[in-house]
Amino acid sequence: MKNLYLCLLLCTALVCGAQKRQTTTALSLNPTVLASLDHTVMLGVEKQVSSRLVAVLDAGYVFATSHYRAQNIRQASGFSVRPGFKLLFRRDPKGYFAVQTFYKQVNYRLYDWLGKDCINGVPAYEQLQEFVWQKKSLSINLLAGYTLELSGRLLVDFYAGPGIKWVNRQVTEPNCCFPQLENRQGFAQPLNGKPTVNLPAGIKLLVAIR
C-alpha cells in the first residue's frame, strides 16, 4: 500500500510539472492588423531560445486597403516582416519586454493623372494612366506585453509600446511624380525619410506546439 501511495504521488508530481511547463515553441496569428488601413494577414512563430529569451518572427501579406474609399485605387498588395526578441520577466515569465523591427512595403495601383518629367516634384505635363504608388516603411519598436493562457495550448498576447518610424513613398515609374496624392484623405504622411514617433499596439493569438 505504501508503494502504491508513492507511485500515485510521483505520477501527480509529473502531471503537475507537465501542466506548469512553459511553452517553448508557438505559432501565432495577429488579428489586429486585419483592421489596419492596409489589411494584412499575419502569421508567425515564437521559439524560446533560453530561460528568458524568446525569438519572434512574424510575416504578413497585404491584400487590400481602406484607401479604396477615398482614392482611385484599383488594387493594393504588399508584404511585411517583423523579427524581434522577447525578454521574459524573472518573477512572472508571462510578462516581457520586446525589441522589434518592422518592415512593410505596399504597392497601390491607381488610375489617375500622373506627372511626367518631374523636377523637384513639379511635372512638365500630366497624363491620365494607370500607375503604381509604392510605400515603404521601417520602424524599430520597444514593447511591453503580457501573455494569458486561454486553454491548454491556446494563449493570447497583449502588447504595446513606443517606436521610431521612417516612411518612403514614390511612384515606381521613372521621372514621374504624383503630388496630388499628398493632399488627399488617408494619404497624409510625414516627409520621406523623416523619423516620427510610432505607437504600435495589438493582440496576438498563440497556439503552443511544444
Side-chain angles (χ1 to χ4, degrees):
M1 183 64 70
K2 184 177 180 180
N3 292 334
L4 179 60
Y5 284 139
L6 290 175
C7 290
L8 289 174
L9 288 174
L10 180 60
C11 292
T12 302
L14 290 174
V15 170
C16 291
Q19 291 177 342
K20 294 180 180 180
R21 183 178 60 187
Q22 282 185 284
T23 299
T24 58
T25 304
L27 302 178
S28 67
L29 170 66
N30 192 324
T32 52
V33 293
L34 286 170
S36 63
L37 284 177
D38 297 317
H39 306 310
T40 306
V41 176
M42 179 170 285
L43 304 175
V45 61
E46 300 190 4
K47 173 68 176 180
Q48 187 164 349
V49 295
S50 69
S51 59
R52 297 185 60 203
L53 193 63
V54 178
V56 181
L57 177 61
D58 297 328
Y61 172 70
V62 179
F63 62 91
T65 178
S66 292
H67 297 313
Y68 278 113
R69 301 172 184 173
Q71 316 299 331
N72 297 327
I73 299 179
R74 295 186 168 185
Q75 184 182 1
S77 63
F79 68 93
S80 61
V81 181
R82 270 196 328 200
F85 288 95
K86 291 180 178 180
L87 181 63
L88 305 181
F89 294 166
R90 290 184 182 275
R91 294 185 178 180
D92 186 359
K94 294 180 181 179
Y96 64 86
F97 290 119
V99 178
Q100 177 192 87
T101 302
F102 186 16
Y103 175 80
K104 181 169 71 171
Q105 177 176 311
V106 185
N107 290 338
Y108 307 96
R109 187 170 297 277
L110 294 88
Y111 185 78
D112 210 318
W113 292 96
L114 179 65
K116 299 285 188 173
D117 297 333
C118 298
I119 299 177
N120 296 326
V122 179
Y125 64 98
E126 293 185 341
Q127 179 176 313
L128 185 62
Q129 67 173 80
E130 185 176 277
F131 61 94
V132 173
W133 174 264
Q134 186 179 80
K135 180 179 70 175
K136 298 179 181 179
S137 64
L138 174 67
S139 61
I140 299 176
N141 307 316
L142 300 177
L143 306 174
Y146 198 82
T147 304
L148 296 176
E149 182 177 331
L150 299 180
S151 64
R153 290 184 175 271
L154 185 61
L155 306 97
V156 59
D157 184 14
F158 302 90
Y159 63 88
I164 301 176
K165 184 176 183 179
W166 295 265
V167 178
N168 183 70
R169 295 156 299 146
Q170 62 182 7
V171 176
T172 57
E173 188 170 335
N175 301 322
C176 294
C177 57
F178 190 49
Q180 304 97 313
L181 193 60
E182 303 297 328
N183 300 321
R184 297 186 179 184
Q185 180 183 1
F187 273 89
Q189 294 281 352
L191 295 176
N192 284 350
K194 182 180 179 180
T196 58
V197 176
N198 188 37
L199 296 173
I203 300 174
K204 291 172 64 174
L205 299 177
L206 302 172
V207 178
I209 58 177
R210 288 188 60 185

PDB file of all heavy atoms in Angstrom, residues 133-153:
ATOM      1  N   TRP A 133       1.874  53.445 -57.032  1.00  0.00           N
ATOM      2  CA  TRP A 133       2.386  54.309 -55.952  1.00  0.00           C
ATOM      3  C   TRP A 133       2.863  53.385 -54.844  1.00  0.00           C
ATOM      4  O   TRP A 133       2.096  52.620 -54.275  1.00  0.00           O
ATOM      5  CB  TRP A 133       1.280  55.239 -55.477  1.00  0.00           C
ATOM      6  CG  TRP A 133       1.595  56.095 -54.293  1.00  0.00           C
ATOM      7  CD1 TRP A 133       1.298  55.833 -52.995  1.00  0.00           C
ATOM      8  CD2 TRP A 133       2.256  57.354 -54.302  1.00  0.00           C
ATOM      9  NE1 TRP A 133       1.731  56.844 -52.181  1.00  0.00           N
ATOM     10  CE2 TRP A 133       2.319  57.798 -52.968  1.00  0.00           C
ATOM     11  CE3 TRP A 133       2.803  58.142 -55.310  1.00  0.00           C
ATOM     12  CZ2 TRP A 133       2.905  59.002 -52.615  1.00  0.00           C
ATOM     13  CZ3 TRP A 133       3.380  59.350 -54.948  1.00  0.00           C
ATOM     14  CH2 TRP A 133       3.436  59.776 -53.628  1.00  0.00           C
ATOM     15  N   GLN A 134       4.157  53.432 -54.536  1.00  0.00           N
ATOM     16  CA  GLN A 134       4.761  52.469 -53.610  1.00  0.00           C
ATOM     17  C   GLN A 134       5.105  53.141 -52.285  1.00  0.00           C
ATOM     18  O   GLN A 134       5.661  54.238 -52.259  1.00  0.00           O
ATOM     19  CB  GLN A 134       6.025  51.875 -54.217  1.00  0.00           C
ATOM     20  CG  GLN A 134       6.640  50.757 -53.394  1.00  0.00           C
ATOM     21  CD  GLN A 134       7.880  50.193 -54.065  1.00  0.00           C
ATOM     22  OE1 GLN A 134       8.963  50.751 -53.991  1.00  0.00           O
ATOM     23  NE2 GLN A 134       7.705  49.066 -54.768  1.00  0.00           N
ATOM     24  N   LYS A 135       4.778  52.453 -51.209  1.00  0.00           N
ATOM     25  CA  LYS A 135       5.109  52.937 -49.868  1.00  0.00           C
ATOM     26  C   LYS A 135       5.971  51.900 -49.157  1.00  0.00           C
ATOM     27  O   LYS A 135       5.625  50.723 -49.097  1.00  0.00           O
ATOM     28  CB  LYS A 135       3.846  53.197 -49.044  1.00  0.00           C
ATOM     29  CG  LYS A 135       4.135  53.706 -47.627  1.00  0.00           C
ATOM     30  CD  LYS A 135       2.860  53.983 -46.858  1.00  0.00           C
ATOM     31  CE  LYS A 135       2.114  52.719 -46.496  1.00  0.00           C
ATOM     32  NZ  LYS A 135       0.936  52.968 -45.650  1.00  0.00           N
ATOM     33  N   LYS A 136       7.105  52.360 -48.602  1.00  0.00           N
ATOM     34  CA  LYS A 136       7.971  51.514 -47.793  1.00  0.00           C
ATOM     35  C   LYS A 136       8.106  52.136 -46.410  1.00  0.00           C
ATOM     36  O   LYS A 136       8.288  53.355 -46.293  1.00  0.00           O
ATOM     37  CB  LYS A 136       9.359  51.384 -48.424  1.00  0.00           C
ATOM     38  CG  LYS A 136       9.375  50.743 -49.803  1.00  0.00           C
ATOM     39  CD  LYS A 136      10.791  50.694 -50.352  1.00  0.00           C
ATOM     40  CE  LYS A 136      10.831  50.086 -51.742  1.00  0.00           C
ATOM     41  NZ  LYS A 136      12.215  50.065 -52.287  1.00  0.00           N
ATOM     42  N   SER A 137       8.001  51.326 -45.381  1.00  0.00           N
ATOM     43  CA  SER A 137       8.134  51.842 -44.015  1.00  0.00           C
ATOM     44  C   SER A 137       8.996  50.907 -43.177  1.00  0.00           C
ATOM     45  O   SER A 137       8.966  49.684 -43.354  1.00  0.00           O
ATOM     46  CB  SER A 137       6.758  52.020 -43.357  1.00  0.00           C
ATOM     47  OG  SER A 137       6.100  50.775 -43.218  1.00  0.00           O
ATOM     48  N   LEU A 138       9.766  51.499 -42.291  1.00  0.00           N
ATOM     49  CA  LEU A 138      10.628  50.752 -41.368  1.00  0.00           C
ATOM     50  C   LEU A 138      10.475  51.354 -39.988  1.00  0.00           C
ATOM     51  O   LEU A 138      10.556  52.582 -39.827  1.00  0.00           O
ATOM     52  CB  LEU A 138      12.087  50.824 -41.815  1.00  0.00           C
ATOM     53  CG  LEU A 138      13.120  50.214 -40.856  1.00  0.00           C
ATOM     54  CD1 LEU A 138      12.939  48.695 -40.780  1.00  0.00           C
ATOM     55  CD2 LEU A 138      14.535  50.565 -41.288  1.00  0.00           C
ATOM     56  N   SER A 139      10.233  50.520 -38.996  1.00  0.00           N
ATOM     57  CA  SER A 139      10.106  51.009 -37.621  1.00  0.00           C
ATOM     58  C   SER A 139      10.858  50.094 -36.667  1.00  0.00           C
ATOM     59  O   SER A 139      10.984  48.890 -36.902  1.00  0.00           O
ATOM     60  CB  SER A 139       8.630  51.109 -37.207  1.00  0.00           C
ATOM     61  OG  SER A 139       8.006  49.844 -37.270  1.00  0.00           O
ATOM     62  N   ILE A 140      11.376  50.697 -35.610  1.00  0.00           N
ATOM     63  CA  ILE A 140      12.034  49.974 -34.520  1.00  0.00           C
ATOM     64  C   ILE A 140      11.226  50.257 -33.261  1.00  0.00           C
ATOM     65  O   ILE A 140      11.071  51.422 -32.865  1.00  0.00           O
ATOM     66  CB  ILE A 140      13.492  50.414 -34.357  1.00  0.00           C
ATOM     67  CG1 ILE A 140      14.272  50.130 -35.638  1.00  0.00           C
ATOM     68  CG2 ILE A 140      14.135  49.694 -33.180  1.00  0.00           C
ATOM     69  CD1 ILE A 140      15.702  50.630 -35.603  1.00  0.00           C
ATOM     70  N   ASN A 141      10.691  49.206 -32.640  1.00  0.00           N
ATOM     71  CA  ASN A 141       9.747  49.359 -31.539  1.00  0.00           C
ATOM     72  C   ASN A 141      10.272  48.720 -30.257  1.00  0.00           C
ATOM     73  O   ASN A 141      10.911  47.664 -30.292  1.00  0.00           O
ATOM     74  CB  ASN A 141       8.407  48.718 -31.905  1.00  0.00           C
ATOM     75  CG  ASN A 141       7.874  49.222 -33.227  1.00  0.00           C
ATOM     76  OD1 ASN A 141       7.899  50.416 -33.505  1.00  0.00           O
ATOM     77  ND2 ASN A 141       7.382  48.310 -34.054  1.00  0.00           N
ATOM     78  N   LEU A 142       9.978  49.361 -29.133  1.00  0.00           N
ATOM     79  CA  LEU A 142      10.244  48.823 -27.800  1.00  0.00           C
ATOM     80  C   LEU A 142       8.893  48.547 -27.147  1.00  0.00           C
ATOM     81  O   LEU A 142       8.133  49.484 -26.880  1.00  0.00           O
ATOM     82  CB  LEU A 142      11.059  49.806 -26.967  1.00  0.00           C
ATOM     83  CG  LEU A 142      12.427  50.188 -27.531  1.00  0.00           C
ATOM     84  CD1 LEU A 142      13.095  51.246 -26.634  1.00  0.00           C
ATOM     85  CD2 LEU A 142      13.322  48.966 -27.652  1.00  0.00           C
ATOM     86  N   LEU A 143       8.607  47.273 -26.903  1.00  0.00           N
ATOM     87  CA  LEU A 143       7.271  46.878 -26.468  1.00  0.00           C
ATOM     88  C   LEU A 143       7.285  46.265 -25.071  1.00  0.00           C
ATOM     89  O   LEU A 143       8.305  45.726 -24.618  1.00  0.00           O
ATOM     90  CB  LEU A 143       6.684  45.857 -27.452  1.00  0.00           C
ATOM     91  CG  LEU A 143       6.644  46.262 -28.922  1.00  0.00           C
ATOM     92  CD1 LEU A 143       6.178  45.088 -29.764  1.00  0.00           C
ATOM     93  CD2 LEU A 143       5.748  47.464 -29.129  1.00  0.00           C
ATOM     94  N   ALA A 144       6.149  46.346 -24.422  1.00  0.00           N
ATOM     95  CA  ALA A 144       5.881  45.602 -23.195  1.00  0.00           C
ATOM     96  C   ALA A 144       4.621  44.782 -23.431  1.00  0.00           C
ATOM     97  O   ALA A 144       3.687  45.253 -24.088  1.00  0.00           O
ATOM     98  CB  ALA A 144       5.705  46.536 -22.006  1.00  0.00           C
ATOM     99  N   GLY A 145       4.603  43.551 -22.917  1.00  0.00           N
ATOM    100  CA  GLY A 145       3.446  42.704 -23.171  1.00  0.00           C
ATOM    101  C   GLY A 145       3.184  41.713 -22.067  1.00  0.00           C
ATOM    102  O   GLY A 145       3.985  41.565 -21.135  1.00  0.00           O
ATOM    103  N   TYR A 146       2.054  41.051 -22.193  1.00  0.00           N
ATOM    104  CA  TYR A 146       1.665  40.038 -21.200  1.00  0.00           C
ATOM    105  C   TYR A 146       0.866  38.950 -21.928  1.00  0.00           C
ATOM    106  O   TYR A 146       0.014  39.239 -22.767  1.00  0.00           O
ATOM    107  CB  TYR A 146       0.817  40.658 -20.093  1.00  0.00           C
ATOM    108  CG  TYR A 146       0.756  39.807 -18.846  1.00  0.00           C
ATOM    109  CD1 TYR A 146       1.784  39.847 -17.906  1.00  0.00           C
ATOM    110  CD2 TYR A 146      -0.312  38.953 -18.609  1.00  0.00           C
ATOM    111  CE1 TYR A 146       1.742  39.064 -16.764  1.00  0.00           C
ATOM    112  CE2 TYR A 146      -0.369  38.170 -17.476  1.00  0.00           C
ATOM    113  CZ  TYR A 146       0.672  38.222 -16.550  1.00  0.00           C
ATOM    114  OH  TYR A 146       0.639  37.445 -15.431  1.00  0.00           O
ATOM    115  N   THR A 147       1.160  37.695 -21.604  1.00  0.00           N
ATOM    116  CA  THR A 147       0.524  36.546 -22.243  1.00  0.00           C
ATOM    117  C   THR A 147      -0.382  35.826 -21.253  1.00  0.00           C
ATOM    118  O   THR A 147       0.051  35.497 -20.139  1.00  0.00           O
ATOM    119  CB  THR A 147       1.581  35.566 -22.781  1.00  0.00           C
ATOM    120  OG1 THR A 147       2.448  36.270 -23.677  1.00  0.00           O
ATOM    121  CG2 THR A 147       0.927  34.414 -23.516  1.00  0.00           C
ATOM    122  N   LEU A 148      -1.609  35.577 -21.661  1.00  0.00           N
ATOM    123  CA  LEU A 148      -2.569  34.860 -20.828  1.00  0.00           C
ATOM    124  C   LEU A 148      -2.923  33.534 -21.477  1.00  0.00           C
ATOM    125  O   LEU A 148      -3.048  33.442 -22.699  1.00  0.00           O
ATOM    126  CB  LEU A 148      -3.840  35.687 -20.633  1.00  0.00           C
ATOM    127  CG  LEU A 148      -3.694  37.014 -19.885  1.00  0.00           C
ATOM    128  CD1 LEU A 148      -5.037  37.748 -19.866  1.00  0.00           C
ATOM    129  CD2 LEU A 148      -3.194  36.781 -18.463  1.00  0.00           C
ATOM    130  N   GLU A 149      -3.093  32.516 -20.662  1.00  0.00           N
ATOM    131  CA  GLU A 149      -3.461  31.187 -21.162  1.00  0.00           C
ATOM    132  C   GLU A 149      -4.981  31.064 -21.197  1.00  0.00           C
ATOM    133  O   GLU A 149      -5.661  31.216 -20.180  1.00  0.00           O
ATOM    134  CB  GLU A 149      -2.865  30.107 -20.268  1.00  0.00           C
ATOM    135  CG  GLU A 149      -3.152  28.684 -20.749  1.00  0.00           C
ATOM    136  CD  GLU A 149      -2.491  27.620 -19.900  1.00  0.00           C
ATOM    137  OE1 GLU A 149      -1.435  27.904 -19.325  1.00  0.00           O
ATOM    138  OE2 GLU A 149      -3.061  26.519 -19.795  1.00  0.00           O
ATOM    139  N   LEU A 150      -5.528  30.782 -22.382  1.00  0.00           N
ATOM    140  CA  LEU A 150      -6.970  30.592 -22.524  1.00  0.00           C
ATOM    141  C   LEU A 150      -7.373  29.140 -22.321  1.00  0.00           C
ATOM    142  O   LEU A 150      -8.448  28.854 -21.805  1.00  0.00           O
ATOM    143  CB  LEU A 150      -7.415  31.062 -23.917  1.00  0.00           C
ATOM    144  CG  LEU A 150      -7.176  32.542 -24.237  1.00  0.00           C
ATOM    145  CD1 LEU A 150      -7.675  32.856 -25.642  1.00  0.00           C
ATOM    146  CD2 LEU A 150      -7.860  33.437 -23.220  1.00  0.00           C
ATOM    147  N   SER A 151      -6.510  28.233 -22.776  1.00  0.00           N
ATOM    148  CA  SER A 151      -6.753  26.801 -22.585  1.00  0.00           C
ATOM    149  C   SER A 151      -5.397  26.108 -22.548  1.00  0.00           C
ATOM    150  O   SER A 151      -4.364  26.760 -22.403  1.00  0.00           O
ATOM    151  CB  SER A 151      -7.636  26.247 -23.708  1.00  0.00           C
ATOM    152  OG  SER A 151      -6.983  26.342 -24.947  1.00  0.00           O
ATOM    153  N   GLY A 152      -5.396  24.796 -22.696  1.00  0.00           N
ATOM    154  CA  GLY A 152      -4.150  24.062 -22.600  1.00  0.00           C
ATOM    155  C   GLY A 152      -3.079  24.510 -23.569  1.00  0.00           C
ATOM    156  O   GLY A 152      -1.913  24.634 -23.214  1.00  0.00           O
ATOM    157  N   ARG A 153      -3.459  24.776 -24.827  1.00  0.00           N
ATOM    158  CA  ARG A 153      -2.491  25.168 -25.845  1.00  0.00           C
ATOM    159  C   ARG A 153      -2.747  26.555 -26.442  1.00  0.00           C
ATOM    160  O   ARG A 153      -1.908  27.057 -27.187  1.00  0.00           O
ATOM    161  CB  ARG A 153      -2.481  24.134 -26.979  1.00  0.00           C
ATOM    162  CG  ARG A 153      -1.876  22.807 -26.585  1.00  0.00           C
ATOM    163  CD  ARG A 153      -1.805  21.872 -27.775  1.00  0.00           C
ATOM    164  NE  ARG A 153      -1.126  20.629 -27.441  1.00  0.00           N
ATOM    165  CZ  ARG A 153       0.181  20.447 -27.541  1.00  0.00           C
ATOM    166  NH1 ARG A 153       0.949  21.425 -27.970  1.00  0.00           N
ATOM    167  NH2 ARG A 153       0.721  19.304 -27.222  1.00  0.00           N
TER     168      ARG A 153
END
